[in-house]
Amino acid sequence: MPKMNMIQALNSALDIAMENDPNVISFGEDAGYFGGVFRVTAGLQKKYGLDRSFDTPINEAAIAAMAIGMAANGLRPVAEIQFSDYIFPAIDQIVNEMTRLRYRSAGQYTQPIVIRSPWGGGIRGGQTHSMSPEAFFTHVPGLRVVIPSNPYDAKGLLLASIENNDPVVFFEPKRMYNGPFDGKADGALQSWANHPKGEVPQGHYTVPLDTAEVVREGSEVTVIAYGTLVHVALAAAEKSGIDAEVIDLKTLTPYDIDTITASVKKTGRCVVSQEAPRTSGFAAELSAQIQEDCFYALEAPIYRVTGWDTPYPHAHEWSYFPGQDRFINALKAVMEAA
């Protein structure tokens, strides 16, 4: 089976989708001729032409608005926002138009749109190239939010998103484009070629949009993560000596509460994580739902591992980033709590 990094896997998904369906269109700032800042769309314009892979002005609101019109007229647009930090000018179009058109037209119009965007920190991008804005979008009815943690899932989830008739915001953890990251900034760079999830089928396949995966089985505590923090949580679990069960969420809305509750009822303890700032983050939603569904099984409060309530700092990136030590401290605390 071929070995791919996440860039190659996503590019393969786009190539397959565009080859199989002439209605699939790819566009964004520098996403046509140049192939995107991270090269995810490289080669698509040359293969499929200017009408199906093209560059746009630096106008995120216009990118989202174009996608809405295309989708309402039968196309399946895949729009790239160059960095997730720049998605906010498009929020009005996404929230007030894209996610509501199917509802207000009583199903007459659908919005099979995917908005791809590099997401998260870990590349010394500072406050304007490191944000994790997923919580803003999980609050919006009618919108799916997907964040893969490895090349195999990235390809399968992107193909499933493109084939879905609901709008999807597809965040791509840019720190892991070229290899997994265990949270140790001074550690050696890792390659997907040496990771089982770097084995990616050449052809078409999909990964379900509403199913989480237990990536490490354990009996003492459940750890819930997504994106980059899946690998940090796995490394912390091994280092801590605590028998932690780690769940890769993959899809944030709708999230797989059944897998979560089954695990928490087994372990009786839970740690939830996010790279985003702590207050009002997606980890808080998870904590509330787990508390409602697993109250009588919980033996300790639910702990959160998160970023800080500050802009993402350039000079102090690794103080902000939720690394292994923060996970290990949370694991120890939840095990010691009454």
Side-chain angles (χ1 to χ4, degrees):
M1 188 176 295
K3 295 283 189 176
M4 297 185 190
N5 62 29
M6 194 176 288
I7 295 169
Q8 293 164 331
L10 291 164
N11 182 269
S12 177
L14 289 165
D15 185 19
I16 289 170
M18 295 177 76
E19 184 173 17
N20 291 346
D21 186 350
N23 290 317
V24 176
I25 311 293
S26 172
F27 57 93
E29 298 163 13
D30 293 321
Y33 177 81
F34 184 65
V37 170
F38 295 97
R39 312 298 288 155
V40 172
T41 55
L44 298 180
Q45 186 178 98
K46 184 176 181 180
K47 184 172 182 179
Y48 297 103
L50 288 167
D51 290 338
R52 297 188 61 202
S53 176
F54 56 89
D55 297 308
T56 68
I58 303 175
N59 189 327
E60 290 79 14
I63 291 171
M66 283 193 297
I68 292 167
M70 289 177 179
N73 285 279
L75 299 178
R76 306 188 82 86
V78 183
E80 178 179 305
I81 302 296
Q82 199 168 77
F83 287 87
S84 61
D85 312 61
Y86 303 151
I87 201 169
F88 294 101
I91 275 189
D92 177 52
Q93 292 293 330
I94 295 170
V95 174
N96 288 324
E97 306 297 336
M98 188 183 298
T99 62
R100 299 180 184 180
L101 186 57
R102 185 172 185 175
Y103 178 84
R104 75 185 194 204
S105 69
Q108 183 178 356
Y109 294 99
T110 58
Q111 290 283 277
I113 298 167
V114 178
I115 298 178
R116 299 180 35 256
S117 190
W119 165 94
I123 65 164
R124 296 180 174 85
Q127 64 180 2
T128 57
H129 297 82
S130 305
M131 192 173 180
S132 303
E134 66 274 10
F136 291 92
F137 298 97
T138 61
H139 190 63
V140 183
L143 185 64
R144 295 175 183 265
V145 178
V146 177
I147 305 179
S149 69
N150 59 77
Y152 177 88
D153 285 341
K155 179 175 177 177
L157 288 167
L158 182 54
L159 281 166
S161 298
I162 293 170
E163 294 167 9
N164 190 273
N165 284 329
D166 294 318
V168 178
V169 174
F170 194 96
F171 288 124
E172 302 164 8
K174 53 184 175 285
R175 182 59 180 81
M176 299 197 305
Y177 271 143
N178 290 299
F181 179 58
D182 63 5
K184 288 289 186 181
D186 55 353
L189 294 176
Q190 302 176 57
S191 170
W192 285 115
N194 303 316
H195 195 283
K197 293 284 188 166
E199 294 184 356
V200 180
Q202 195 76 41
H204 179 279
Y205 67 93
T206 59
V207 172
L209 293 179
D210 56 358
T211 304
E213 179 184 358
V214 177
V215 293
R216 184 186 194 273
E217 293 191 357
S219 61
E220 293 185 309
V221 56
T222 299
V223 182
I224 303 168
Y226 51 89
T228 310
L229 294 190
V230 171
H231 301 271
V232 181
L234 287 168
E238 293 294 331
K239 187 176 179 180
S240 71
I242 295 170
D243 190 19
E245 182 153 291
V246 179
I247 295 175
D248 181 354
L249 208 53
K250 301 185 187 182
T251 300
L252 277 61
T253 49
Y255 58 90
D256 182 1
I257 189 61
D258 291 340
T259 295
I260 293 169
T261 56
S263 178
V264 174
K265 288 177 180 178
K266 177 179 72 173
T267 65
R269 300 172 191 271
C270 186
V271 172
V272 294
S273 63
Q274 64 186 39
E275 191 177 332
R278 181 180 181 85
T279 301
S280 300
F282 189 67
E285 157 61 27
L286 291 173
S287 299
Q289 191 62 56
I290 293 166
Q291 173 78 0
E292 289 180 22
D293 291 355
C294 304
F295 178 79
Y296 292 105
L298 287 168
E299 299 178 22
I302 300 167
Y303 279 69
R304 283 181 286 170
V305 175
T306 72
W308 306 130
D309 286 338
T310 69
Y312 213 114
H314 183 273
H316 302 287
E317 177 160 23
W318 302 116
S319 296
Y320 177 97
F321 185 86
Q324 288 186 34
D325 290 344
R326 212 173 298 173
F327 272 93
I328 291 170
N329 290 338
L331 288 170
K332 291 179 178 178
V334 78
M335 292 303 299
E336 294 169 0

